[in-house]
Amino acid sequence: MRTRLVSTAAAGLLAVAVGATPVIAEAPGEASITVTAPSTTPFDQAPSLDKAGATLFDNPRSIQVMPRELLDQQGATQLRDTLRNVSGLVQGGQFSFGFYDRFVSRGLNVTFLNDGLPDTTSDLGGYVHALTGVERVEVLKGPGSALFGTTAPGGTINLVHYRPDDTLSAGGSIQYGSFDTITASASLNAPLSDGLAARVDGQFQHSDGLRGARNKTGEVYGSLGFHPEGHDILARLEYHRIEVRPDSIGLPFTPPTGTGLPADVDRDNRYYTPFAYADQTIKRAFLSDAWSLSDALTLNLRGAYTDRDVDLARNAGGRLTASAGTFSLTGRQLRQQADRVHDLVLQAEPTWKFTAGSMPVTLLAGFEYRNISARTRRATADLPSIADIYNPVTPETSLSGLTFLCNSSHSCNDADVDGRFYGLYGTAQIDVTERLKLRLSGREDWFKTSAEGRSVIPTNPGSEHPCSPPQATTCPFVPGQPVIRKDDRFEWDVGAVYQLADAFALFGGYSSNSYPIFNTEEPQSIGQVPEKGTQIEAGLRVRQGNWLSLSSSLFRTTRRNVYTILLDPTTGLDVSQVFSYRVKGWETDLTLRPVPAWNIIANFTLQDPVLMDYPQNPGQIGNRVPSVPKRIGNIWTSYDLALPDETGTLQLAAGLRYRSAYFGDTGETRVLPGATMVDLSAAWLRGPWTLRAGVSNIGDKRNYSYAAGVGSGAIPGLGRTFFVSLGVKAF
């Protein structure tokens, strides 16, 4: 009862709390951003996610920006460490296998961008994003197809990296924390000649991980900035090496006849195979040019090529079976997979600024071409049962001792997949008056996706497709007989902002989304109808000087034609499913600086997620959507104390994270309990040096990050952890 009262009280406080100060950023059009205090709502900033250049205050969509200063203050080293700063954004979603970022915003999956260009081949099967060289993180809430084409309907996260400039500078940091986690990063920026500069950013991280889910990551970004007359050219090369031991099983849930909660087992118990691994090598080349043809016309040219190799072995399956007064974990499998992915994307965007009568207009047009080609191969091995979940002993002793099979009773594939995407789009930002701003966006996309077998394998759920002509059964992929699907979709956004006064603005709009189902995890999804999503949003923004800002909105989102796979607990095979759902909710992001030294950041989300259509399980219509908590809230506050005798500044900070309980399955038989957690940190800042230390979840509250992908367990969240770091900025 006390825990419930604490959680309810925390939720109530978060609903009325206010957060950090708005920051006056650079004037629109400048490349760099100077932030004087952490803030997630710098209303005067024009985020790059908004291609028309509107500031956050004048934008009809909910967009949040997290500056690097705030992320450093919280000890963040990976993108998932930043989720607390954005309302409605949580970790999880279907197919969360533990070796890539999987986030949900407003109850729907999100897409990732790297400096405005697509960062992974899909929202399924990406990688864990570090914050190497990241200047800020931008988050667009809801569908983004009218701007970005093939995006997931929940939102778009854009990692904006530092650009080379004409200032000589260098910096570095070392951080140590729980699970022997070491993170070392460094950067160097140097002007080479007039109009030419170079920058290098690098980071290395090694961690033993909670419950042995270790990771080792190394990244290097090398950039050149060149500024001949009328041009702003950026060239960048990236290299990522990521080695992760994924836990895609977690802790088992109690049987359906029980409470539905995770079983009362030791949090440190391991049910995944010790031989699981997910190794990735990513190489990326990026080139852009902002070409000023005149004062009124700019042509933005962008392109990127990504080469990505993935080798992994992850667990799948698992169910509890009563045995001799306890429960065994049976039906365990290990899936071994190798992907070779090549991804090319090109964009050309002319932008005109002109006046129509007395109305200033920004008109952006664009063309995008993207080609993803990949080769994927998978086989499955059966694993021995774990006899007692309360005293688990993993029976398998070596990877070489397992037999990987590809047949009608073991999920597998061996195929080439190819996707070609073409898009024509336009956006108009119209200042009807000084107080009324209109936004219109439209985009026509053409998709062509295909899959072709590389060898003859039996029909199985990992390598099948609807027969043509249709039959009662499905057909396998066959060499020389590609399965092809062609689609064309028109998506659009419309919105308006009206300033009631300089301090108050109303905003609202409608946006739609289309998302072709294309990835190497589900080659059998080639040929499925694309996902569709919509959002209706209305909200209010408030700003008062440099001490108060508020953004609050009501929304209704939908996601249709959601293709998913359920694991048959009896056969261990994948079973295709399609469903649709909607989420209604309210989000508020508030920021406050009561006095110059005191910053507070807070957000609160209330949402109602409901299944609308589920042909395979009509009895579940009306149930809650998995992985979508009803209530989410966060507070982060810091206070700066000037030390005597100019010995520097002591910065004290604290945070509270709250998430209510939610379901891990559409049948509402698996429940992830909610949790309220408190974090503390302190830092000493003097000149170029920063010494920082922090403790997260100081009460060691038991919590869960998300429900495992198609497994049967709950992924434990971190208990009490600590970090200490030392950083320096030179020159």
Side-chain angles (χ1 to χ4, degrees):
M1 178 63 71
R2 176 174 293 181
T3 300
R4 179 176 297 177
L5 289 173
V6 171
S7 297
T8 303
L13 288 172
L14 288 164
V16 299
V18 287
T21 176
V23 178
I24 304 300
E26 89 282 3
E30 295 181 358
S32 62
I33 294 178
T34 302
V35 180
T36 58
S39 170
T40 60
T41 52
F43 282 151
D44 295 321
Q45 179 176 321
S48 57
L49 266 176
D50 181 78
K51 295 187 176 185
T55 65
L56 293 181
F57 199 73
D58 290 338
N59 205 292
R61 299 288 302 275
S62 288
I63 300 177
Q64 286 185 254
V65 178
M66 294 176 281
R68 184 60 187 240
E69 287 79 0
L70 173 62
L71 309 184
D72 287 343
Q73 188 182 98
Q74 296 172 343
T77 61
Q78 296 180 332
L79 181 61
R80 62 189 176 202
D81 300 330
T82 73
L83 301 185
R84 66 187 306 159
N85 302 303
V86 180
S87 59
L89 189 61
V90 295
Q91 190 175 2
Q94 66 194 88
F95 302 114
S96 297
F97 296 132
F99 63 92
Y100 57 88
D101 284 334
R102 187 71 162 159
F103 303 149
V104 173
S105 173
R106 295 184 171 178
L108 287 70
N109 293 340
V110 305
T111 294
F112 302 97
L113 302 179
N114 185 336
D115 290 313
L117 290 181
D119 193 32
T120 53
T121 54
S122 74
D123 66 332
L124 177 60
Y127 64 99
V128 175
H129 294 79
L131 297 176
T132 309
V134 171
E135 179 185 17
R136 65 186 185 274
V137 178
E138 303 174 340
V139 182
L140 170 71
K141 308 286 190 65
S145 281
L147 286 174
F148 305 111
T150 58
T151 58
T156 305
I157 299 178
N158 185 31
L159 278 72
V160 182
H161 294 82
Y162 288 103
R163 297 170 64 96
D165 58 36
D166 58 1
T167 302
L168 180 63
S169 62
S173 68
I174 183 83
Q175 180 168 306
Y176 178 79
S178 298
F179 312 112
D180 283 334
T181 301
I182 299 175
T183 307
S185 62
S187 65
L188 174 64
N189 186 92
L192 302 179
S193 64
D194 187 24
L196 179 65
R199 182 181 178 94
V200 177
D201 293 277
Q203 179 170 295
F204 172 81
Q205 183 176 86
H206 178 276
S207 176
D208 291 340
L210 175 65
R211 301 169 63 247
R214 56 121 177 108
N215 75 80
K216 183 167 66 175
T217 303
E219 298 185 333
V220 178
Y221 289 70
S223 305
L224 280 176
F226 185 39
H227 303 279
E229 185 175 357
H231 292 268
D232 182 2
I233 300 173
L234 174 66
R236 177 181 293 128
L237 295 176
E238 305 172 19
Y239 177 82
H240 309 249
R241 177 61 183 175
I242 305 169
E243 299 176 6
V244 176
R245 177 181 291 159
D247 176 9
S248 55
I249 293 296
L251 304 181
F253 285 96
T254 56
T257 55
T259 63
L261 296 170
D264 187 20
V265 297
D266 192 300
R267 181 171 59 184
D268 293 327
N269 284 359
R270 304 181 191 181
Y271 301 91
Y272 64 90
T273 181
F275 309 109
Y277 64 90
D279 299 339
Q280 300 194 50
T281 300
I282 302 171
K283 292 166 281 188
R284 187 172 189 261
F286 174 92
L287 181 65
S288 69
D289 180 18
W291 181 7
S292 298
L293 299 172
S294 69
D295 292 340
L297 176 60
T298 301
L299 177 60
N300 285 293
L301 302 171
R302 306 183 192 92
Y305 174 78
T306 304
D307 183 273
R308 180 167 168 254
D309 292 343
V310 185
D311 292 286
L312 65 92
R314 64 164 179 85
N315 284 89
R319 61 188 179 275
L320 294 186
T321 303
S323 174
T326 184
F327 287 97
S328 299
L329 189 63
T330 62
R332 301 172 64 238
Q333 293 183 334
L334 186 66
R335 295 185 177 177
Q336 196 170 47
Q337 184 170 329
D339 292 348
R340 304 293 179 262
V341 184
H342 309 281
D343 186 0
L344 172 68
V345 59
L346 302 171
Q347 288 181 352
E349 293 179 351
T351 303
W352 293 272
K353 294 182 181 294
F354 59 91
T355 301
S358 61
M359 299 184 300
V361 177
T362 299
L363 179 62
L364 177 145
F367 169 76
E368 180 177 286
Y369 167 76
R370 190 178 185 194
N371 177 218
I372 305 171
S373 61
R375 175 166 292 182
T376 180
R377 183 178 179 88
R378 180 202 290 169
T380 299
D382 294 322
L383 300 178
S385 299
I386 293 178
D388 183 356
I389 64 169
Y390 298 100
N391 299 284
V393 176
T394 306
E396 58 268 23
T397 58
S398 70
L399 192 63
S400 60
L402 300 176
T403 302
F404 287 90
L405 301 173
C406 182
N407 55 39
S408 58
S409 61
H410 291 79
S411 176
C412 64
N413 62 56
D414 185 12
D416 289 327
V417 297
D418 186 83
R420 297 177 188 269
F421 311 93
Y422 306 83
L424 288 174
Y425 51 97
T427 296
Q429 173 78 17
I430 306 170
D431 295 354
V432 179
T433 67
E434 289 186 0
R435 296 197 179 276
L436 178 60
K437 323 284 181 170
L438 295 181
R439 172 68 62 83
L440 300 170
S441 299
R443 178 170 178 137
E444 181 74 19
D445 278 296
W446 296 267
F447 313 140
K448 179 182 177 182
T449 56
S450 65
E452 180 181 344
R454 297 176 55 229
S455 61
V456 178
I457 60 176
T459 302
N460 72 85
S463 182
E464 63 182 2
H465 61 88
C467 300
S468 182
Q471 302 174 18
T473 60
T474 55
C475 295
F477 291 120
V478 177
Q481 298 181 22
V483 177
I484 298 174
R485 181 181 177 96
K486 296 181 180 180
D487 291 280
D488 61 273
R489 291 286 188 274
F490 180 77
E491 307 301 334
W492 56 286
D493 289 4
V494 60
V497 178
Y498 184 74
Q499 293 187 24
L500 300 172
D502 289 342
F504 299 92
L506 299 175
F507 70 96
Y510 170 88
S511 57
S512 62
N513 199 89
S514 187
Y515 187 60
I517 304 169
F518 177 84
N519 56 71
T520 57
E521 183 62 34
E522 311 164 319
Q524 68 269 37
S525 65
I526 303 297
Q528 301 294 326
V529 176
E531 278 191 22
K532 297 185 67 176
T534 62
Q535 176 176 269
I536 300 173
E537 181 181 23
L540 167 72
R541 295 190 180 107
V542 180
R543 59 182 176 186
Q544 285 291 330
N546 66 348
W547 62 273
L548 171 67
S549 66
L550 173 151
S551 180
S552 185
S553 64
L554 298 171
F555 63 86
R556 184 184 189 275
T557 62
T558 66
R559 188 180 177 204
R560 302 179 185 275
N561 301 330
V562 182
Y563 181 85
T564 188
I565 290 175
L566 296 182
L567 200 69
D568 188 306
T570 302
T571 65
L573 293 175
D574 297 331
V575 179
S576 298
Q577 309 271 280
V578 178
F579 62 94
S580 301
Y581 62 92
R582 64 97 178 129
V583 182
K584 295 190 294 186
W586 166 59
E587 288 181 349
T588 294
D589 291 272
L590 303 151
T591 63
L592 176 71
R593 177 182 279 181
V595 296
W598 185 14
N599 282 332
I600 310 170
I601 300 174
N603 61 68
F604 182 77
T605 302
L606 181 67
Q607 49 195 3
D608 177 34
V610 175
L611 286 168
M612 297 190 309
D613 183 55
Y614 202 166
Q616 294 83 7
N617 294 285
Q620 295 181 7
I621 294 175
N623 284 4
R624 297 285 177 176
V625 180
S627 304
V628 185
K630 184 176 182 178
R631 295 179 300 275
I632 309 166
N634 299 279
I635 294 176
W636 180 263
T637 181
S638 63
Y639 194 91
D640 294 344
L641 295 169
L643 299 177
D645 301 325
E646 298 183 352
T647 54
T649 299
L650 177 64
Q651 185 180 83
L652 303 176
L656 181 147
R657 293 171 285 150
Y658 166 75
R659 185 168 63 186
S660 65
Y662 61 98
F663 291 106
D665 66 330
T666 58
E668 298 186 348
T669 64
R670 301 173 182 174
V671 181
L672 283 85
T676 301
M677 293 172 284
V678 176
D679 312 316
L680 300 174
S681 74
W684 173 64
L685 301 88
R686 184 179 184 186
W689 295 94
T690 299
L691 177 63
R692 194 181 306 275
V695 179
S696 296
N697 193 4
I698 192 168
D700 200 25
K701 177 71 174 179
R702 187 158 187 167
N703 66 97
Y704 298 90
S705 297
Y706 53 88
V710 293
S712 57
I715 303 298
L718 296 175
R720 184 188 301 113
T721 58
F722 78 94
F723 75 90
V724 59
S725 66
L726 177 65
V728 62
K729 295 181 179 179
F731 308 114

